[in-house]
Amino acid sequence: MDGCSIHKTILECYCLDGIPYLCGYCIAKIQGGFQVWSIGDASVKKKELLSNVLKELSASKSETENRIRSLKTPTEKIQYKADGLSKKFIVVFQKMRKHIEDLETKVLSEIARQVEEAVAIYRDEIRELETKRDELSRKMAAIEDLYTLTDPVTGLQRPGDYGHGNNQRSAGDCSTAACDLDEGSISEVLHTGIAELVVIARSGLFMVEKSDILLDEDTAGNNLEVEDDKKSFYWVNRYQSTPKTPQRFKDHQVLSTTSFSTGRHFWMVETSKCGNWRFGMSYASMTRKGFRSYIGCNDKSWGLCKWNNQYSAMHACKETLLPDKLTCQRFGVYLDYEAGELSFYELCDPIRHLHTFSATFTEPLHAIFRLWLDSYGGAWMTLKSME
């Protein structure tokens, strides 16, 4: 800004209204009511205004940066977790691919083995028939030679074997059972391999810590018989004279010796078709007798329940009925202690989520089971841990 564009003189003042910059001639000509400042004063005021704006912008920038940092923290955590999961799943898929390759080799080897056994039966018979064919050809040649003789006396004097060889077996005489392929055993190899593949995939899905669940027979009610392996138990229709201790349930329930106070865990249970049952997780501090000792009938246990073919999830006497009938007797239980999640799954084809409890766990959790007889006969349960 060199000077007044009208009078070509030095600018002396700053007007807040109208033309902002004024020289001495401009000031003399303007009417009253205009706010006029010296250039120096106007500059100071402008700097004060800019300083205030700068402070506001700086505060806004600082707030924006804080917000960016607050958003980056969870996104970085998410990315870190995603990277970890990706690495884990890469290992899982590597295991699955290796397992599929091995399974393919097993199935094809089983087919090749059966082919060799079946073909061997035909091969022996073919060899026998080829020998028979060669003998028949020899006899036919001898007979044709005699047939072509012109001297009847010579033909009559030559000895010969004129047997017809009608006692040979047909190549189709071997039974289908002996000669055909056993598709059932081939399918069994495949299905077993697929089941193992599901276990590999499930271990990747839940990312669980390896744990071994064993039953505490000192807590088992009198109508439960715990097997020696501490992984199976069944209902017995008699009262057993087990010692009465503060740890033992009065009714037919049993706790695991294993407890969980951190981490993620997955285990499986298989039940008999008959009988009624409940299983889930509980604190060891729950009462051992009376209605409040039943799984799900207190605030210290969470369970999946079956009663007369009706299925439900229970906690603190609150029952959530499951809308669909269950189609198999294999179930999975997934515990994420820190996240406060306890989930139940039906391990059929496909795997089906049944229910998830959300809670803040305050004590170590034990697996817990309840089993009793119905009108159809005995009942049992078997526990399996994730390999």
Side-chain angles (χ1 to χ4, degrees):
M1 171 175 32
D2 298 327
C4 179
S5 60
I6 300 173
H7 302 100
K8 308 302 181 184
T9 57
I10 297 173
L11 297 172
E12 300 177 11
C13 299
Y14 184 85
C15 180
L16 299 181
D17 306 296
I19 302 172
Y21 297 100
L22 304 172
C23 67
Y25 293 108
C26 294
I27 295 172
K29 290 183 178 183
I30 65 174
Q31 302 297 322
F34 287 92
Q35 297 185 46
V36 179
W37 298 77
S38 69
I39 291 295
D41 290 343
S43 177
V44 171
K45 291 294 182 181
K46 185 67 175 285
K47 287 182 179 180
E48 289 179 356
L49 176 63
L50 292 176
S51 178
N52 292 334
V53 172
L54 186 60
K55 288 180 181 178
E56 291 178 0
L57 292 176
S58 179
S60 179
K61 179 184 176 183
S62 178
E63 183 181 350
T64 302
E65 288 177 342
N66 290 335
R67 180 59 179 161
I68 290 172
R69 282 193 293 270
S70 69
L71 292 175
K72 278 187 175 180
T73 299
T75 56
E76 288 172 353
K77 288 182 179 179
I78 291 171
Q79 188 59 53
Y80 178 79
K81 184 175 181 180
D83 292 342
L85 288 175
S86 296
K87 290 178 181 178
K88 289 181 180 180
F89 275 111
I90 286 172
V91 174
V92 171
F93 281 115
Q94 288 174 343
K95 290 180 180 179
M96 291 174 68
R97 280 192 290 269
K98 178 65 167 57
H99 184 78
I100 290 174
E101 291 173 359
D102 293 343
L103 179 58
E104 179 183 9
T105 300
K106 285 182 181 179
V107 171
L108 295 180
S109 296
E110 176 63 16
I111 293 174
R113 183 191 66 79
Q114 291 194 24
V115 167
E116 179 60 28
E117 288 184 357
V119 169
I121 298 173
Y122 287 106
R123 186 185 297 118
D124 293 341
E125 188 167 355
I126 289 172
R127 189 179 297 112
E128 181 182 340
L129 291 175
E130 287 176 342
T131 300
K132 189 69 174 180
R133 179 199 60 195
D134 294 342
E135 176 65 19
L136 291 173
S137 296
R138 186 191 63 77
K139 289 182 178 181
M140 289 174 63
I143 293 172
E144 288 174 352
D145 186 46
L146 287 174
Y147 185 79
T148 57
L149 287 176
T150 56
D151 183 3
V153 175
T154 303
L156 291 172
Q157 288 178 341
R158 283 191 182 181
D161 180 6
Y162 308 131
H164 299 299
N166 291 330
N167 60 341
Q168 78 251 30
R169 292 183 300 163
S170 167
D173 285 349
C174 72
S175 67
T176 301
C179 302
D180 201 0
L181 300 182
D182 183 0
E183 294 187 36
S185 64
I186 296 172
S187 297
E188 182 63 28
V189 173
L190 178 62
H191 291 162
T192 300
I194 291 175
E196 293 169 351
L197 185 64
V198 170
V199 172
I200 295 172
R202 192 179 297 127
S203 66
L205 173 65
F206 293 109
M207 297 299 173
V208 296
E209 299 174 12
K210 186 174 181 180
S211 56
D212 194 22
I213 294 182
L214 299 176
L215 298 172
D216 183 359
E217 59 183 339
D218 290 337
T219 66
N222 271 289
N223 287 102
L224 297 183
E225 180 74 27
V226 178
E227 299 278 15
D228 292 338
D229 62 1
K230 303 296 190 293
K231 287 181 173 292
S232 301
F233 65 101
Y234 57 92
W235 168 274
V236 290
N237 196 20
R238 66 180 186 278
Y239 187 84
Q240 303 178 100
S241 300
T242 52
K244 294 182 178 180
T245 64
Q247 293 77 29
R248 190 177 303 281
F249 285 103
K250 183 177 181 181
D251 288 300
H252 19 277
Q253 290 189 164
V254 60
L255 281 175
S256 67
T257 56
T258 316
S259 65
F260 308 105
S261 56
T262 186
R264 290 171 289 186
H265 307 271
F266 181 83
W267 51 272
M268 295 168 281
V269 59
E270 185 171 357
T271 70
S272 57
K273 290 184 178 180
C274 62
N276 294 300
W277 46 255
R278 298 183 186 188
F279 62 83
M281 306 296 287
S282 76
Y283 299 146
S285 60
M286 69 180 290
T287 184
R288 294 298 198 266
K289 60 182 179 179
F291 172 73
R292 293 297 179 183
S293 70
Y294 298 175
I295 301 171
C297 294
N298 51 70
D299 60 0
K300 295 188 175 186
S301 61
W302 299 258
L304 184 70
C305 312
K306 173 196 173 188
W307 174 255
N308 292 336
N309 290 322
Q310 174 62 62
Y311 300 90
S312 63
M314 285 191 68
H315 170 65
C317 289
K318 182 180 179 181
E319 185 174 22
T320 302
L321 297 179
L322 302 182
D324 300 322
K325 297 295 183 182
L326 304 187
T327 57
C328 70
Q329 285 72 52
R330 295 185 304 279
F331 304 93
V333 182
Y334 173 63
L335 169 68
D336 188 334
Y337 192 95
E338 282 78 9
E341 291 184 354
L342 177 63
S343 299
F344 296 89
Y345 296 85
E346 185 184 26
L347 301 182
C348 298
D349 187 12
I351 296 174
R352 185 161 61 104
H353 172 256
L354 299 176
H355 187 78
T356 293
F357 290 105
S358 296
T360 300
F361 300 125
T362 58
E363 301 177 37
L365 286 167
H366 293 252
I368 186 171
F369 311 88
R370 181 176 179 83
L371 185 66
W372 66 99
L373 188 68
D374 64 10
S375 58
Y376 296 101
W380 52 264
M381 282 190 185
T382 297
L383 313 184
K384 296 182 179 180
S385 300
M386 177 65 69
E387 298 298 332

